[in-house]
Amino acid sequence: MSETEVARSAQSTVTSLFRAQVVVFPDRIALEDGKRRLSFAELDERVRRLAACLAGRGLARGDRIAVLSENRLEYPELLLAAARLGAIVACQNWRQTAVELAHCLNLADPAATIVSPRHRRLLDLASENTAAEVIIYGDAYENELARATPLASDFDAAEPEDPLLILYTSGTTGLPKGAIISHRAEISRNLVLRAEFGLGVDDAYAAWSPFFHMGGCEYS
């Protein structure tokens, strides 16, 4: 590998690597959720539409977006959209009490919170510390995406050392703490996973553990 190639790889972000997959495998299935299936090209368009919607609400590089949801197709879609904007996704644990959730939301200080209908009640119970901007998965979410003009395919506001995720500790010795994971760290951790398990381009990942946990979110 030349020095130029090494330097270029050091500038990789989650968005730049995802875009490479879209270019190479546009028609390959990227996500499957029950009967719903998205190719890389279809996922890319939804991600760019969502990024445009979030940007239209004033979200930008460095802003935090909390998400409280079960595993569903829209979750990794949000991770990729936030990555493109340079925003940070704070993954909330729906197994927590309202008091615990309020604490974790307060730590993240999100500019917006995205919630699934299944967990809207829990968010409401912790509402004193949530952002005023709440987005609910469902018909309104889909309609907003459909109306949005996708961001340009080469738009990437993030730098490799920018934060990407906030995952939380278990809180076994006190209240949970937020752990920040950067684009570069996330890429490195996934490279280690591929090397340890010998994963290739034809392999798939079954996201059985919750996305608020590193075992689900990091490898989604």
Side-chain angles (χ1 to χ4, degrees), residues 101-148:
L101 176 61
H103 164 76
C104 290
L105 289 169
N106 190 52
L107 285 180
D109 188 23
T113 300
I114 299 183
V115 63
S116 69
R118 182 183 301 180
H119 299 295
R120 178 65 192 274
R121 174 61 178 163
L122 176 59
L123 181 64
D124 288 343
L125 290 174
S127 61
E128 287 185 0
N129 291 302
T130 61
E133 186 74 33
V134 175
I135 302 168
I136 306 171
Y137 286 137
D139 291 341
Y141 173 89
E142 291 297 330
N143 290 337
E144 186 171 352
L145 255 63
R147 294 192 302 268

